[in-house]
Amino acid sequence: GKWLDKTFDITQFKNVDKLGKTAAINSAYKQMRRAARKGKGRDYDNLAREAQEVFGEEAPQFFDDLKKGNYKSENVRLALFNRLSEVQPISLSEMPEAYLNSPNGRLFYSLKSFTLKQIDLMRNKSLQEQPFRRSQPQ
């Protein structure tokens, strides 16, 4: 543990990781707030669908909190956690069993799991996007 902390301090890994997470959370918050305040469009529709799935009856309160800029509400914080979780492995449930059972190998698994998460994110995003299609002559 001490060796790992020293390594992270020397390489500034903790600071870079914190900067990346902060940027991801701030970006997600601004995007969600902008969509909630606008109240229409593709971003709003996607957010509304996501909010309904996650919050159910509390979805209107979630939108109200976003519009008011209440980033400390439990629902907004949960939504931000979910957005961050999409791009970085941040909970133990996302880690392999070997990570949980070997404290000395956690650095290796942390870097590996981050890379795998990024590859999975790119794959999911590319499968979700509809390619440009030319209209077919009738």
Side-chain angles (χ1 to χ4, degrees):
K2 289 180 184 180
W3 178 82
L4 188 59
D5 283 338
K6 273 189 174 181
T7 303
F8 282 166
D9 287 340
I10 291 170
T11 61
Q12 296 293 307
F13 182 81
K14 284 182 183 180
N15 293 335
V16 171
D17 185 50
K18 184 177 180 180
L19 179 67
K21 287 177 178 166
T22 301
I25 287 172
N26 288 339
S27 174
Y29 176 70
K30 286 177 184 178
Q31 180 187 20
M32 288 190 303
R33 185 154 191 241
R34 189 177 321 118
R37 291 170 75 187
K38 191 174 181 183
K40 61 182 178 180
R42 184 177 48 160
D43 289 340
Y44 176 79
D45 293 341
N46 291 338
L47 183 60
R49 186 173 42 256
E50 180 183 339
Q52 189 60 44
E53 289 174 6
V54 174
F55 302 118
E57 294 177 1
E58 295 181 20
Q61 181 61 45
F62 167 70
F63 278 101
D64 191 46
D65 289 339
L66 278 175
K67 289 175 187 175
K68 291 179 180 176
N70 184 7
Y71 64 90
K72 292 185 178 184
S73 87
E74 187 177 328
N75 290 339
V76 172
R77 293 170 68 94
L78 177 61
L80 292 173
F81 176 85
N82 288 339
R83 290 284 174 98
L84 181 59
S85 183
E86 288 176 2
V87 296
Q88 290 191 5
I90 54 176
S91 63
L92 291 177
S93 65
E94 297 176 291
M95 302 305 282
E97 185 178 352
Y99 174 89
L100 302 172
N101 294 332
S102 69
N104 294 332
R106 288 188 177 179
L107 174 62
F108 168 73
Y109 277 111
S110 294
L111 297 174
K112 181 179 178 180
S113 63
F114 177 80
T115 303
L116 289 173
K117 189 70 143 178
Q118 294 299 307
I119 292 169
D120 187 50
L121 176 68
M122 289 189 311
R123 181 183 63 84
N124 288 338
K125 292 286 183 184
S126 66
L127 292 175
Q128 287 176 358
E129 292 181 11
Q130 296 293 325
F132 175 75
R133 297 180 191 173
R134 291 188 214 177
S135 59
Q136 298 293 326
Q138 297 180 359

